[in-house]
């Protein structure tokens, strides 16, 4: 098991490869269809299994240099959506977000928190795929309005509230719009098409081997603290851009 460090200081060129086959598209351009209650329950059950708890323990050990005596997994699954490449392309009816994972918070007995990502592994099946330090997903989703979902634009480390008819930026390392401002979906689509349309899979950017479109082993971070990594959490979106700084250090422990 290895650790991918998500620490970006200054400018780090990051791009992504292809849409993960496990990602499920949502059903309408105005919003997204949530996972079923059965899927949420299944993801939470997976998060409570010994191997998932072991994955969380590895993250606490590697990130916080601690060995918790006890880890408590949350009883709530948080659906997390990522920017849909078909929405970027402007395909009619394509939703802005595609379901990428269900997040479950892990809490060490010392108070540190991490987020386990449960990902679909076939109809009705979920697997503990990775663990991130911190509990951004839990914190940000707590403030969503009823009917809204949490949308991630990984290329800018951006988090949005996706609601009927538009998005509201909650936080981003490289904000492309003011935090808290409502952006109609048509305008958001225009923005992301301008940012990423020429970097999608099959583009000249990819054919010219633009940074990150070829999946490869992640090198360990150097002594300078500037790791050059293709972050697994960014792979899901299938588009690429330069990412400048992040809000805070997060580390990913993948399976």
């Amino acid at each position: 098991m290895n650790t991918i460090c998500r620490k970006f200081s200054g400018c780090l060129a990051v791009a992504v490869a292809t849409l993960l086959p496990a990602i499920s598209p949502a059903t309408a351009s105005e919003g997204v269809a949530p996972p079923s209650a059965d899927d949420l329950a299944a993801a939470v059950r997976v998060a409570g299994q010994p191997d998932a708890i072991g994955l969380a323990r590895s993250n606490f050990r590697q990130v916080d240099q601690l060995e918790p005596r006890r880890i408590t997994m949350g009883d709530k699954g948080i659906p997390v959506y990522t920017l849909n490449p078909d929405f970027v392309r402007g395909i009619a009816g394509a939703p802005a977000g595609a379901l990428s994972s269900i997040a479950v918070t892990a809490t060490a007995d010392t108070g540190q928190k991490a987020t386990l990502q449960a990902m679909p592994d076939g109809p009705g099946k979920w697997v503990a795929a990775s663990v991130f330090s911190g509990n951004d997903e839990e914190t940000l989703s707590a403030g969503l309005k009823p009917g809204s979902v949490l949308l991630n634009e990984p290329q800018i480390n951006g988090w949005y509230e996706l609601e009927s008819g538009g998005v509201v930026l909650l936080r981003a390392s490289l904000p492309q719009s003011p935090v808290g401002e409502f952006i109609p979906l048509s305008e958001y689509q225009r923005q992301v098409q301008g940012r990423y349309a020429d970097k999608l899979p099959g583009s000249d950017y990819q054919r010219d081997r633009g940074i990150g479109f070829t999946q490869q082993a992640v090198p360990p971070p150097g002594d300078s603290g500037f790791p050059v990594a293709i972050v697994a959490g960014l792979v899901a979106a299938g588009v690429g851009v330069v990412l400048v700084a992040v809000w805070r250090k997060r580390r990913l422990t993948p399976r």
Side-chain angles (χ1 to χ4, degrees):
M1 185 178 298
N2 63 327
T3 298
I4 300 173
C5 180
R6 284 179 38 152
K7 180 181 180 183
F8 298 84
S9 299
C11 297
L12 174 63
V14 178
V16 292
T18 57
L19 185 67
L20 293 179
I23 291 175
S24 303
T27 57
S29 59
E30 294 79 15
V32 293
S36 68
D38 288 343
D39 279 332
L40 286 170
V44 171
R45 283 196 301 272
V46 163
Q49 294 176 355
D51 61 338
I53 295 174
L55 199 58
R57 186 177 300 278
S58 294
N59 188 276
F60 287 127
R61 183 186 301 124
Q62 295 166 2
V63 176
D64 300 302
Q65 289 77 52
L66 61 87
E67 190 69 44
R69 290 174 296 177
R70 181 170 54 86
I71 296 173
T72 302
M73 303 302 295
D75 58 4
K76 178 183 179 182
I78 302 163
V80 178
Y81 296 80
T82 195
L83 184 60
N84 183 0
D86 283 346
F87 179 77
V88 174
R89 294 184 180 98
I91 294 177
L99 181 66
S100 59
S101 65
I102 291 177
V104 181
T105 299
T107 305
D109 52 10
T110 52
Q112 281 85 350
K113 294 183 182 292
T115 299
L116 183 134
Q117 289 186 323
M119 292 187 174
D121 188 33
K125 297 180 180 179
W126 294 80
V127 62
S130 56
V131 175
F132 283 99
S133 60
N135 63 329
D136 288 359
E137 291 82 349
E138 180 183 39
T139 300
L140 293 171
S141 66
L144 298 180
K145 294 188 288 291
S148 297
V149 298
L150 191 62
L151 174 68
N152 182 227
E153 185 181 329
Q155 300 76 22
I156 62 169
N157 192 36
W159 293 97
Y160 294 84
E161 177 172 11
L162 173 60
E163 57 186 82
S164 179
V167 297
V168 176
L169 181 63
L170 303 174
R171 200 175 72 183
S173 298
L174 188 62
Q176 303 294 300
S177 58
V179 172
E181 178 180 293
F182 178 82
I183 303 172
L185 273 182
S186 57
E187 172 60 19
Y188 182 57
Q189 194 281 325
R190 187 191 66 79
Q191 290 180 7
V192 295
Q193 187 173 55
R195 290 200 282 272
Y196 312 127
D198 62 343
K199 299 176 180 65
L200 290 166
S203 65
D204 289 340
Y205 181 90
Q206 182 191 29
R207 284 190 288 270
D208 291 341
R209 302 183 67 82
I211 297 173
F213 280 102
T214 301
Q215 295 193 40
Q216 56 189 351
V218 178
D223 294 337
S224 65
F226 295 87
V228 180
I230 302 170
V231 180
L234 302 182
V235 171
V239 290
V241 73
V242 172
L243 175 63
V244 182
V246 291
W247 273 81
R248 60 181 178 83
K249 180 176 73 174
R250 268 196 122 183
R251 284 188 180 180
L252 162 67
T253 300
R255 178 163 296 284

